[in-house]
Amino acid sequence: MFMTFDEVSKKIVGGALLHVAGTETLLKKLPKGSWVGGSTEYFMAKGGGKVSNDCLFVTEFPYEGFSISSYGAAEIENVAADAFDNGFSIVIVPFDSAVHKKYAENASGFKDMFLKNIVGWISGMNLGTSGQTPIAVDGATTTAYADKAVALHLKVPDDKTVAVNMINIFAQDENSPVIEFEEEGFSVTKCLVDGKETVLADYLAQNGIDTKLPLVGNYSGHGVNISFKSIENGVVNFYAPVFSGIKYKMAKGIPNYEKEFNSRIEGFKDTNAAFSCNCVLNFLYGELEGKQIDAFAGPITFGEIAYQLVNQTLVYVTVN
């Protein structure tokens, strides 16, 4: 829920266990306590999408077992191994940091990654305001990191079951050619289009591709989005890395983003999510500011974590 700085401060001083999202400035002023935080000014609230630099979005947890850890690029491979066997971990990673790159490109190989419940988000900033730095905050020490991830590891009671879920409104366009990559990472020049080597930027321009739509990769039968960030001097930059050995296609077009989004989550109105986050590209391209999105509330993010890094996706956790 949205809270003022003073309300959040009182919660922290009172011993509450919290996840907090808000501006870099507000997060750095909060008192020490049992909390983690990440920077964003974009939110999904019960009243609709919102941009705010004077409120904080707070998720409170009722669990007694927890730990807070920070991870640089050299340590992030331990994040799942450090998680509780029965619980879930919320990982906050600063956008465009070395640890962001390391996590995005290597998370699937981290020890215990798919044996524990790992979710989280990439922290960011207001895209229209200069001079901001994406941060993750360890509230136990009030240390704000631009170069480290922070994780809140939560232990749930033994009679509870945790599930990590994603809502992705995109699917592969069956009419799209298969696009594959021999070079991996956040930036590429060439690709294979139906097996033929092609300069990706040229292919996108010549075919009038709408880069608001992501590439959708087939990861063992699951569609995973790779969103376009920019095209500069013939280099295509993404918000998540592409991998060799994965067959990608362009996403099928969506006539009405808001309608499609609400349609997809219509059946989730009664879902009691313990944590959720949604992508800033969904927010911007769907023009969701002020528009009602039912069932889920939380930070709007610069990348979502459901074990691995995903894009243009809503991620949520249930505890039943």
Side-chain angles (χ1 to χ4, degrees), residues 12 27-37 66-71 136-145 148-151:
I12 292 170
L27 290 172
K28 287 181 174 179
K29 292 179 181 177
L30 288 171
K32 289 182 181 180
S34 302
W35 65 277
V36 298
F66 74 94
S67 65
I68 296 171
S69 300
S70 60
Y71 303 89
V137 184
D138 175 350
T141 62
T142 63
T143 306
Y145 298 105
K148 286 187 177 184
V150 172

Side-chain angles (χ1 to χ4, degrees), residues 31-309:
K32 289 182 181 180
S34 302
W35 65 277
V36 298
S39 58
T40 184
E41 289 189 21
Y42 305 96
F43 308 93
M44 288 309 308
K46 296 300 182 184
K50 184 173 182 177
V51 182
S52 174
N53 62 8
D54 58 3
C55 287
L56 295 156
F57 193 94
V58 177
T59 307
E60 184 171 357
F61 300 104
Y63 312 120
E64 294 182 4
F66 74 94
S67 65
I68 296 171
S69 300
S70 60
Y71 303 89
E75 299 87 39
I76 190 62
E77 64 186 33
N78 299 315
V79 66
D82 290 346
F84 292 100
D85 288 336
N86 191 43
F88 63 99
S89 298
I90 300 174
V91 186
I92 305 171
V93 184
F95 178 73
D96 208 22
S97 60
V99 69
H100 178 198
K101 185 173 187 291
K102 178 72 175 289
Y103 191 97
E105 294 180 348
N106 299 281
S108 63
F110 292 170
K111 183 181 179 183
D112 292 350
M113 176 49 72
F114 298 103
L115 300 177
K116 310 290 182 68
N117 296 300
I118 307 299
V119 298
W121 55 290
I122 308 302
S123 63
M125 62 281 174
N126 188 310
L127 292 167
T129 305
S130 60
Q132 295 183 324
T133 303
I135 59 169
V137 184
D138 175 350
T141 62
T142 63
T143 306
Y145 298 105
D147 59 351
K148 286 187 177 184
V150 172
L152 174 61
H153 300 294
L154 296 163
K155 184 180 187 301
V156 306
D158 291 339
D159 62 347
K160 302 292 185 182
T161 301
V162 177
V164 174
N165 309 274
M166 293 191 299
I167 298 175
N168 182 3
I169 65 173
F170 296 100
Q172 289 189 337
D173 184 346
E174 58 270 18
N175 296 316
S176 168
V178 173
I179 300 172
E180 297 173 280
F181 299 92
E182 294 178 328
E183 50 181 323
E184 299 187 333
F186 283 84
S187 300
V188 300
T189 303
K190 295 180 179 179
C191 65
L192 299 176
V193 177
D194 280 342
K196 182 182 178 181
E197 187 172 272
T198 305
V199 175
L200 181 57
D202 293 346
Y203 171 79
L204 296 172
Q206 291 164 7
N207 291 276
I209 301 296
D210 181 3
T211 54
K212 289 182 179 180
L213 300 174
L215 282 173
V216 181
N218 184 342
Y219 289 67
S220 303
H222 299 283
V224 175
N225 302 334
I226 306 293
S227 301
F228 292 93
K229 181 181 179 183
S230 63
I231 301 173
E232 301 170 296
N233 300 317
V235 177
V236 178
N237 302 300
F238 300 104
Y239 279 104
V242 292
F243 296 100
S244 62
I246 301 294
K247 295 185 184 298
Y248 298 90
K249 289 188 175 186
M250 285 303 305
K252 189 181 299 183
I254 293 175
N256 185 317
Y257 221 106
E258 180 195 10
K259 183 178 179 181
E260 180 69 20
F261 207 95
N262 272 306
S263 174
R264 287 294 298 274
I265 66 174
E266 182 69 24
F268 297 89
K269 281 186 176 181
D270 296 327
T271 300
N272 184 19
F275 168 81
S276 63
C277 63
N278 190 8
C279 185
V280 70
L281 298 181
N282 281 337
F283 185 88
L284 296 175
Y285 297 160
E287 299 178 353
L288 299 180
E289 185 174 358
K291 294 180 181 176
Q292 185 74 37
I293 296 294
D294 297 320
F296 300 102
I300 296 290
T301 67
F302 284 59
E304 304 75 59
I305 294 171
Y307 306 105
Q308 294 177 266
L309 177 67

